[in-house]
């Protein structure tokens, strides 16, 4: 479809990439990865025909239709949401109008005339093409895509310019998916999507029938949507087969092989140079020396790219709080109605009769569709807003820090980043400050920029870093992963996992939630439902996993049915009468049943911790960290085995008593 040969591109004086050869075939599903600033978005514009190469050539096959979604900046107006989406089917609308015209002509022409035959042939040919291109189901397809991306049915007749920038980008994505180009180019398509819309898009792209190239900083999203990875690293392209997880493994293996080949080559070069220098001036060795000089000249030197720095960042640990960090009791939140010139707007109820407790060390993920109340709940916990009814209490020695999506507005626009950070952390050296800024993607001369000239994403990143320099023991983070690339997310994730305080956070990154969360609060319909475990555990329970497990346990606890007695009521000589079970004391039975329920909870918690330890061991951080996880894994497995054995013994005792 598209072929790059010797391709190179500069951005001002900076070389982004060079000597790139890449062939995109009709069924490729490619994830484009690399650090911020390496040229990923620029390359997408080149593939879309919106930018040009500085070196090399770009060949596009005939019939290739490319559809490009930028990160932001699109704005639509003048139509309703539904009409805007229907506008992508201009060819089908033209065919539909022609079919109507042909239908009228057929009804009026003489069936025996040659003109009738020509019109009928044209009608059948056109109708076949219209049906093949799903012309009869375009309205249903528009509705499916809009619903999948989070547009409610009542939104379809609203004007597009009534929506915010994030929803405008959703609408642009909907139009692109409806067009179905045979090369789909998506630059951060999940930036403006909540988890439900993101899950729907994953399934849609998984079944997409044509080629796609996408940029994403969501590791899970890449894992389930692509089968190839193209990485821009050190101004070169490196290609891998498989999803993002396989890419990480292959990259490590490739680097090890490259290092080994480099060492072998260096050994051979040193041997040749020693021989040449030793025997250069001996006539008897002249022929052998010349042979080795030629061999040395023919060696194509292996280059080792500069090592990617492994960044580790940890917060100063906060002062401990009490066991109970925060508590909601019968809380309701209602926003009053507004009177406008157009029409009065009724009051909006966000929460009603909400009860929950947050304990020390909890890492709680808030999930729910956009507008469900996730940010409102964080503001209530931070004290930025007050509940309409009910009581909210913070626990003993609890200090809250709140990171809002617009946190950057509180920064001094005239201050340079490195100076402002130095004031916030006066004991840190310039080297330490620059290292911290590098963790959050500010490098080289960027550290001297004034905060006021930064983009919205850059200011959000800097505000998050500044907050985490001296964190309180109760962190409230609203979308902390926005505008972070994969490496920066890993830095933040590692730091939060080592943090000893309590965290409540909103994120639309599945991998980040799975790794960090110990509980999930689902927000919707004015309620807060609490689920133990990470996002995978939450989904499992939502899909009925917990109910199925409970039913299995109930079935196992049921006594087996006794075999039917002989018809004559007599026992055959070979049968042995079963011993009559001793009746169980009701108090003891109650204690046993209570203990069984406790054990079921302990077993579930142990399994969750075992899974977390096994996952943590897959990502090497340090020998000490791996040893700690390994020891914890052994402890939890031993505890799990003990709980399971006790559960089986108690269950057997109850069965025998029954």
């Amino acid at each position: 479809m598209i072929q790059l040969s010797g391709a190179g591109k500069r951005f001002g004086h900076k070389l982004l990439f060079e000597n790139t050869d890449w062939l995109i075939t009709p069924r490729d599903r490619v994830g484009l990865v690399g650090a911020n600033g390496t040229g990923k978005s620029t390359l997408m514009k080149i593939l879309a025909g919106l930018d040009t190469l500085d070196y090399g050539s770009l060949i596009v096959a005939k019939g290739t239709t490319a559809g490009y979604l930028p990160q932001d900046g699109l704005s639509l107006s003048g139509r309703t949401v539904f009409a805007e989406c229907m506008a992508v089917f201009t060819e089908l609308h033209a065919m539909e109008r022609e079919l109507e015209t042909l239908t009228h002509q057929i009804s009026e022409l003489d069936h025996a005339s040659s003109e009738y035959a020509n019109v009928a042939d044209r009608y059948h040919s056109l109708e076949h093409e219209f049906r093949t291109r799903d012309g009869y189901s375009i309205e249903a397809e528009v509705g499916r895509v809009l619903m999948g991306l989070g547009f409610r049915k009542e939104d379809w007749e609203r004007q597009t310019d009534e929506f915010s920038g994030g929803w405008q980008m959703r609408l642009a994505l909907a139009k692109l998916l409806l067009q179905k180009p045979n090369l789909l180019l998506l630059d951060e398509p999940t930036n403006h999507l909540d988890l439900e819309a993101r899950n729907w898009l994953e399934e849609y792209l998984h079944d997409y029938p044509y080629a796609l190239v996408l940029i994403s900083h969501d590791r899970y999203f890449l894992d389930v949507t692509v089968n190839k990875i193209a990485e821009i690293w050190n101004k070169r392209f490196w290609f891998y087969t498989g999803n993002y997880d396989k890419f990480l493994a292959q990259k490590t293996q490739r680097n090890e092989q490259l290092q080994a080949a480099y060492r072998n080559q260096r050994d051979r070069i040193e041997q040749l140079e020693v021989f040449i220098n030793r025997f250069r001036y001996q006539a008897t060795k002249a022929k052998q020396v010349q042979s080795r000089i030629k061999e040395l000249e023919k060696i194509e030197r292996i280059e080792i790219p500069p090592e990617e720095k492994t960044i580790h960042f940890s917060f100063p640990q906060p002062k401990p709080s009490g066991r109970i960090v925060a508590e909601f009791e019968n809380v309701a939140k209602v926003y009053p109605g507004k009177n406008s010139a157009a029409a009065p707007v009724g009051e909006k109820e966000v929460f009603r009769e909400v009860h929950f407790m947050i304990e020390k060390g909890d890492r709680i993920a808030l999930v729910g569709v956009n507008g469900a109340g996730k940010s409102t709940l964080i503001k209530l916990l931070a004290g930025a807003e007050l509940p309409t009814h009910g009581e909210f209490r913070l626990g003993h020695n609890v200090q809250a820090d709140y990171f809002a999506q617009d946190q950057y507005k509180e920064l001094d626009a005239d201050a340079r980043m490195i100076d402002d950070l130095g004031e916030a952390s006066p004991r840190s050296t310039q080297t330490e400050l620059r290292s911290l800024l590098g963790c959050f993607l500010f490098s080289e001369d960027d550290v001297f920029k004034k905060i006021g000239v930064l983009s919205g994403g850059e200011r959000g990143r800097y505000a998050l870093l500044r907050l985490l320099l001296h964190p309180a023991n109760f962190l409230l983070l609203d979308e902390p992963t926005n505008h972070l690339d994969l490496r920066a997310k890993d830095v933040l994730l590692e730091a939060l996992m080592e943090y000893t305080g309590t965290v409540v956070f909103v994120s639309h990154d599945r991998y980040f939630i799975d790794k960090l969360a110990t509980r999930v609060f689902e927000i919707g319909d004015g309620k807060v439902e609490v689920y133990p475990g990470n996002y995978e555990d939450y989904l499992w329970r939502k899909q009925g996993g917990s109910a199925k497990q409970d039913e299995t346990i109930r079935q196992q606890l049921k006594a087996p049915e006794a075999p039917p007695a002989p018809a004559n009521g007599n026992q055959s000589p070979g049968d042995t009468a079963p011993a009559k079970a001793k009746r169980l004391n009701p108090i003891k039975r109650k204690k046993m049943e209570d203990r069984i329920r406790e054990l079921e909870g302990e077993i579930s918690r142990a399994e969750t911790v075992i899974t977390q330890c096994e996952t943590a061991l897959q990502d090497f951080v340090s020998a000490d960290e791996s040893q700690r996880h390994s020891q914890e894994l052994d402890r939890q497995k031993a505890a799990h085995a003990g709980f399971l054995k006790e559960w089986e013994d108690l269950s057997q005792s109850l069965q025998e008593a029954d």
Side-chain angles (χ1 to χ4, degrees):
M1 296 182 71
I2 289 185
Q3 183 173 5
L4 294 171
S5 300
K9 181 67 178 178
R10 288 185 174 275
F11 187 77
H13 66 281
K14 181 182 179 182
L15 178 66
L16 298 177
F17 53 85
E18 62 180 348
N19 299 326
T20 298
D21 298 320
W22 185 13
L23 177 65
I24 301 175
T25 62
R27 298 290 296 176
D28 275 352
R29 315 174 71 79
V30 185
L32 188 57
V33 303
N36 281 4
T38 53
K40 302 187 299 294
S41 294
T42 300
L43 178 64
M44 292 287 264
K45 291 176 184 176
I46 291 169
L47 295 176
L50 302 176
D51 203 344
T52 57
L53 293 168
D54 293 328
Y55 316 103
S57 62
L58 170 69
I59 301 172
V60 182
K62 187 177 180 181
T64 299
T65 56
Y68 170 59
L69 181 78
Q71 288 187 35
D72 48 38
L74 295 181
S75 181
L76 303 167
S77 62
R79 293 191 183 105
T80 64
V81 168
F82 195 82
E84 188 69 44
C85 289
M86 289 293 288
V88 306
F89 301 109
T90 50
E91 286 187 32
L92 288 173
H93 289 321
M95 291 168 64
E96 189 174 26
R97 287 193 296 271
E98 186 178 352
L99 284 171
E100 290 177 1
T101 302
L102 292 172
T103 302
H104 288 304
Q105 290 178 357
I106 287 172
S107 65
E108 294 172 356
L109 290 172
D110 182 1
H111 289 197
S113 66
S114 59
E115 187 179 359
Y116 176 88
N118 293 335
V119 171
D121 286 344
R122 171 62 181 163
Y123 177 87
H124 290 305
S125 171
L126 192 64
E127 198 273 340
H128 176 73
E129 183 181 356
F130 186 75
R131 192 186 325 111
T132 302
R133 293 173 62 176
D134 295 324
Y136 292 112
S137 61
I138 56 176
E139 291 188 357
E141 181 66 8
V142 168
R144 183 174 79 90
V145 171
L146 286 175
M147 292 289 283
L149 291 177
F151 288 92
R152 298 168 301 175
K153 199 161 185 179
E154 52 265 34
D155 294 330
W156 296 1
E157 296 307 317
R158 290 174 58 190
Q159 293 294 313
T160 56
D161 48 17
E162 295 178 26
F163 290 87
S164 65
W167 285 95
Q168 293 261 359
M169 293 305 298
R170 287 198 196 203
L171 187 54
L173 175 60
K175 291 179 64 177
L176 202 57
L177 298 180
L178 290 167
Q179 288 170 355
K180 289 189 178 174
N182 52 28
L183 176 59
L184 195 56
L185 304 168
L186 304 177
D187 192 350
E188 291 284 359
T190 59
N191 265 359
H192 307 285
L193 302 182
D194 55 29
L195 278 166
E196 286 72 16
R198 188 172 299 206
N199 293 342
W200 178 87
L201 182 60
E202 285 169 6
E203 294 180 9
Y204 187 95
L205 293 181
H206 183 270
D207 299 330
Y208 194 71
Y210 307 115
L212 63 89
V213 179
L214 65 88
I215 300 170
S216 178
H217 293 155
D218 186 324
R219 183 179 301 194
Y220 184 89
F221 186 77
L222 285 172
D223 271 343
V224 299
T225 53
V226 305
N227 54 27
K228 290 183 181 178
I229 295 289
E231 182 191 26
I232 306 179
W233 180 39
N234 195 35
K235 303 178 180 61
R236 300 289 298 275
F237 270 70
W238 309 81
F239 298 96
Y240 303 84
T241 301
N243 62 12
Y244 190 81
D245 270 350
K246 291 180 180 176
F247 148 71
L248 291 176
Q250 290 175 35
K251 181 178 179 179
T252 301
Q253 185 181 16
R254 186 209 69 193
N255 287 344
E256 291 171 353
Q257 292 171 346
L258 193 63
Q259 292 282 354
Y262 177 78
R263 287 192 297 269
N264 292 337
Q265 188 183 76
R266 288 304 309 164
D267 291 344
R268 180 57 181 163
I269 289 171
E270 287 175 10
Q271 292 171 6
L272 294 172
E273 288 175 342
V274 167
F275 186 92
I276 292 167
N277 293 332
R278 184 176 179 184
F279 300 110
R280 183 184 293 275
Y281 302 108
Q282 293 187 21
T284 56
K285 299 283 188 179
K287 189 173 182 180
Q288 290 149 302
V289 168
Q290 288 300 314
S291 172
R292 282 164 174 75
I293 289 174
K294 288 180 180 177
E295 182 183 348
L296 191 62
E297 290 173 348
K298 288 180 180 178
I299 291 177
E300 188 174 337
R301 306 299 172 100
I302 296 172
E303 294 183 10
I304 299 293
E307 294 254 346
E308 288 183 298
K309 293 180 182 178
T310 303
I311 301 170
H312 296 288
F313 170 66
S314 58
F315 316 143
Q317 295 303 330
K319 295 178 181 179
S321 66
R323 184 181 69 84
I324 297 176
V325 174
E327 190 173 2
F328 267 33
E329 188 174 322
N330 201 31
V331 168
K333 179 63 179 176
V334 180
Y335 289 106
K338 297 179 181 178
N339 292 319
S340 65
V345 180
E347 64 179 24
K348 180 181 179 183
E349 182 185 60
V350 184
F351 298 116
R352 62 178 176 276
E353 298 181 3
V354 170
H355 303 265
F356 62 76
M357 183 185 294
I358 298 173
E359 297 187 3
K360 179 184 175 182
D362 275 345
R363 300 198 294 263
I364 296 170
L366 306 183
V367 303
V369 298
N370 279 3
K374 300 187 294 293
S375 294
T376 301
L377 181 57
I378 281 193
K379 289 175 183 175
L380 289 171
L381 289 169
E385 292 194 9
L386 298 175
T388 309
H389 304 292
E391 190 175 355
F392 160 58
R393 295 184 292 271
L394 282 179
H396 179 65
N397 281 341
V398 174
Q399 293 178 317
D401 262 349
Y402 171 45
F403 175 78
Q405 294 185 39
D406 58 355
Q407 187 74 23
Y408 61 83
K409 292 180 180 178
E410 298 182 10
L411 301 173
D412 181 1
D414 296 325
R416 298 191 310 175
M417 273 192 292
I418 196 161
D419 298 334
D420 185 64
L421 203 62
E423 290 180 11
S425 182
R427 295 184 181 180
S428 301
T429 65
Q430 286 280 307
T431 303
E432 289 170 337
L433 292 176
R434 294 190 70 138
S435 177
L436 286 173
L437 286 163
C439 291
F440 284 77
L441 313 178
F442 299 108
S443 57
E444 300 177 356
D445 292 339
D446 288 345
V447 302
F448 301 112
K449 286 182 177 178
K450 288 188 175 183
I451 295 170
V453 303
L454 302 177
S455 68
E458 289 172 330
R459 279 182 284 177
R461 256 187 280 140
Y462 176 71
L464 178 62
L465 168 59
R466 202 176 188 282
L467 173 73
L468 299 179
L469 276 177
H470 301 288
N473 53 26
F474 187 29
L475 285 181
L476 303 163
L477 307 176
D478 195 356
E479 294 283 10
T481 55
N482 268 6
H483 310 292
L484 298 184
D485 72 0
L486 285 160
R487 292 186 71 206
K489 283 183 184 179
D490 287 343
V491 170
L492 177 62
L493 177 61
E494 181 183 335
L496 286 173
M497 290 180 74
E498 293 176 356
Y499 171 67
T500 57
T502 306
V503 185
V504 176
F505 67 98
V506 177
S507 176
H508 295 155
D509 188 305
R510 280 274 298 272
Y511 181 83
F512 189 86
I513 298 174
D514 271 341
K515 285 284 189 178
L516 185 61
T518 58
R519 288 204 288 168
V520 173
F521 283 14
E522 182 190 46
I523 301 170
D525 297 326
K527 298 181 293 183
V528 176
E529 297 285 346
V530 178
Y531 296 85
N534 61 11
Y535 192 76
E536 287 298 321
D537 298 324
Y538 156 73
L539 287 181
W540 176 73
R541 285 177 169 81
K542 288 286 286 182
Q543 292 161 3
S546 182
K548 292 174 185 174
Q549 185 184 57
D550 292 344
E551 179 60 29
T552 302
I553 292 171
R554 280 195 295 271
Q555 292 296 330
Q556 290 173 347
L557 291 175
K558 283 184 180 178
E561 292 182 7
N568 58 9
N570 298 323
Q571 189 173 352
S572 62
D575 292 340
T576 304
K580 187 175 181 180
K582 186 179 179 181
R583 188 173 180 272
L584 200 61
N585 184 297
I587 297 175
K588 188 174 181 181
R589 170 188 285 277
K590 179 70 166 59
K591 287 182 178 179
M592 290 172 69
E593 290 173 345
D594 290 345
R595 180 57 181 160
I596 284 174
R597 281 192 289 272
E598 289 176 8
L599 287 168
E600 288 164 3
E602 295 291 348
I603 289 168
S604 178
R605 280 189 285 275
E607 287 172 347
T608 300
V609 177
I610 287 170
T611 302
Q612 290 172 347
C613 290
E614 289 174 341
T615 304
L617 283 169
Q618 294 173 12
D619 297 327
F620 180 80
V621 175
S622 67
D624 291 341
E625 188 73 3
S626 295
Q627 185 178 10
R628 185 175 70 81
H629 286 308
S630 181
Q631 291 171 348
E632 179 64 17
L633 180 62
D634 291 341
R635 282 196 297 271
Q636 291 296 330
K637 283 185 174 179
H640 180 268
F643 293 144
L644 200 58
K645 178 68 168 61
E646 187 181 353
W647 181 87
E648 289 172 350
D649 291 344
L650 287 172
S651 300
Q652 183 66 28
S653 298
L654 280 177
Q655 281 187 2
E656 291 172 355
D658 291 338

